[in-house]
Amino acid sequence: MRSFTRRTARKFALAGAATATGLLLTACGSDDGASGMDHSGPSASATASTAAPSATPSGPSSSGAPASGDFNDADVMFAQMMIPHHEQALEMAGLAAGRAEDPEVRKLVAAIERAQDPEIQKMKAWLKGWGRPESAGHGSGGHGMAGMMSEQDMKDLAALKGRAFDRKFAELMIAHHDGAVAMAKDEQNNGRNATAKALADDVVRTQSAEVAALKKILDRL
């Protein structure tokens, strides 16, 4: 009888230990589950933050993002006129390949190509977002606007090489940049859209600096 009691007591002790262990595991399990949810929070935000950079590569294409905020006719005109203006600057820069000799001229050509193509894409995106056409019909290719070269100017430039090309390129690009700066100043004074006005600020700053550099080149050629 005593042995039966001992065996029964032992059974209860083992059952109690198992129950305690079960409760402990359940408690740990729920702690783990809660802490799992806590980790999923940070890991989700970590995933979101790692996804952000991959959205930024569309930065170049975000160079083609619409210009948010109010705009007026001056903003539209600025973009419509500056697009063909920039396109002609790129055409002039393209003629430098195999013709330009002066290293400073080549350096400026590279700077023009780097800056102006992305700016064209930006302005095209603005006009699309504003529901306006890319061209306001300012003549063929924008001829007649401030600083624009005639077809004959472009032919004359294409016919030159070496020092003669460098000199003519500097003369024409000074006039071309002066026209762009005048249009950008008009946008600074009359535009409303903050993004368009910021680009106008860039045009005034960078192209005025390039005009100064081109004048120095002309002085020594």
Side-chain angles (χ1 to χ4, degrees):
M1 190 65 185
R2 208 177 295 130
S3 143
F4 172 79
T5 310
R6 272 200 304 270
R7 278 201 307 272
T8 308
R10 191 176 168 192
K11 271 185 190 176
F12 279 119
L14 285 170
T19 307
T21 308
L23 288 170
L24 183 59
L25 285 172
T26 308
C28 289
S30 25
D31 281 353
D32 217 5
S35 97
M37 286 179 70
D38 289 344
H39 285 311
S40 85
S43 96
S45 46
T47 311
S49 67
T50 32
S54 74
T56 354
S58 65
S61 118
S62 111
S63 74
S68 58
D70 289 344
F71 65 96
N72 61 13
D73 288 345
D75 300 315
V76 172
M77 186 67 70
F78 171 66
Q80 287 174 334
M81 293 177 75
M82 197 61 81
I83 288 169
H85 209 275
H86 272 20
E87 285 172 342
Q88 191 180 67
L90 290 176
E91 191 183 341
M92 292 168 71
L95 292 175
R99 293 181 176 87
E101 183 180 276
D102 189 90
E104 288 300 312
V105 168
R106 288 184 192 155
K107 187 177 169 185
L108 276 167
V109 163
I112 288 165
E113 289 173 334
R114 246 187 344 263
Q116 297 202 19
D117 185 58
E119 288 176 356
I120 288 170
Q121 302 316 312
K122 282 182 189 178
M123 291 183 285
K124 285 183 175 182
W126 300 349
L127 290 167
K128 186 177 179 182
W130 294 337
R132 300 300 175 89
E134 284 180 15
S135 169
H138 302 288
S140 171
H143 293 297
M145 292 189 308
M148 289 292 280
M149 303 298 109
S150 67
E151 285 179 24
Q152 190 58 52
D153 288 329
M154 298 298 286
K155 283 178 186 174
D156 291 345
L157 183 61
L160 300 172
K161 278 192 178 182
R163 189 185 176 92
F165 176 88
D166 294 335
R167 186 165 187 83
K168 187 71 173 172
F169 177 86
E171 288 169 355
L172 294 178
M173 194 58 83
I174 286 168
H176 200 271
H177 274 11
D178 282 344
V181 169
M183 291 194 297
K185 285 182 176 176
D186 185 67
E187 168 64 13
Q188 285 176 326
N189 294 329
N190 302 310
R192 181 184 299 160
N193 186 269
T195 308
K197 286 167 79 75
L199 179 59
D201 294 343
D202 285 345
V203 169
V204 171
R205 186 179 64 255
T206 59
Q207 297 203 23
S208 295
E210 287 174 357
V211 165
L214 286 161
K215 284 179 177 175
K216 283 183 183 175
I217 289 168
L218 269 182
D219 288 343
R220 62 176 173 71
L221 284 177

